Amino acid sequence: MKKVLTGGCFDMLHYGHISFLSEAKKHGDWLVVALESDENVRRMKGHTRPIHSQVQRKAMLESLRFVDEVIALPSMHTDEEYAKLVADVAPSVIALTEGDGMEDKKRRHAATVGAAVVVIPKIHTPSTSQLAKLVGLE
């Protein structure tokens, strides 16, 4: 079985998320989504986030037909913790979005397990942060 691993916050699912996850699934048989903890989302996105709890975000992702598994991550603080996750999942492919600020680290993690890296082009759609501002949640 060819596993594809990707990760993120997925706070307010929107068209960009759906498009990305659907495209990621095309690169393997089993799509695994590593879902950031509420604490990590707050650290990355600010004190008003996440809008949805990790439990709610996990349920939303699991409802998508092309997502096969969601791993609710504990609060992680080091690159070594993410490297261990990659080793444990042992994906054939790591999928990331064009412009991912962690691309270099993800490429190093992929190399440790012999996984290919697939960069999926970003589509032009409002981000979760932009949508949250638009509807007055931030």
Side-chain angles (χ1 to χ4, degrees):
M1 175 174 22
K2 189 174 180 182
K3 283 189 206 174
V4 178
L5 175 64
T6 194
C9 300
F10 301 100
D11 195 9
M12 288 176 52
L13 280 181
H14 57 72
Y15 182 73
H17 291 140
I18 301 301
S19 177
F20 170 77
L21 292 168
S22 174
E23 189 62 31
K25 175 64 182 252
K26 292 176 184 176
H27 295 276
D29 306 307
W30 190 261
L31 179 60
V32 180
V33 178
L35 184 62
E36 290 291 349
S37 69
D38 292 344
E39 181 184 328
N40 281 8
V41 174
R42 237 181 322 281
R43 188 171 52 241
M44 289 185 276
K45 307 289 186 176
H47 74 279
T48 61
R49 302 280 293 281
I51 294 162
H52 294 100
S53 72
Q54 187 184 49
V55 169
Q56 293 168 326
R57 293 181 285 126
K58 184 175 190 275
M60 288 187 286
L61 287 167
E62 288 173 335
S63 75
L64 300 174
R65 65 175 155 55
F66 37 78
V67 172
D68 298 296
E69 182 178 352
V70 179
I71 299 171
L73 298 176
S75 185
M76 297 170 84
H77 301 280
T78 68
D79 190 48
E80 291 77 23
E81 290 171 295
Y82 286 99
K84 182 178 179 337
L85 167 74
V86 172
D88 289 347
V89 172
S92 301
V93 175
I94 294 180
L96 52 114
T97 306
E98 175 184 27
D100 185 322
M102 299 293 179
E103 182 173 347
D104 290 341
K105 286 182 181 185
K106 291 177 182 180
R107 284 188 180 279
R108 285 195 301 275
H109 295 161
T112 66
V113 295
V117 174
V118 173
V119 179
I120 298 172
K122 199 170 214 171
I123 63 168
H124 298 288
T125 185
S127 68
T128 299
S129 295
Q130 291 167 328
L131 291 170
K133 286 177 185 160
L134 184 67
V135 298
L137 295 173
E138 285 190 348

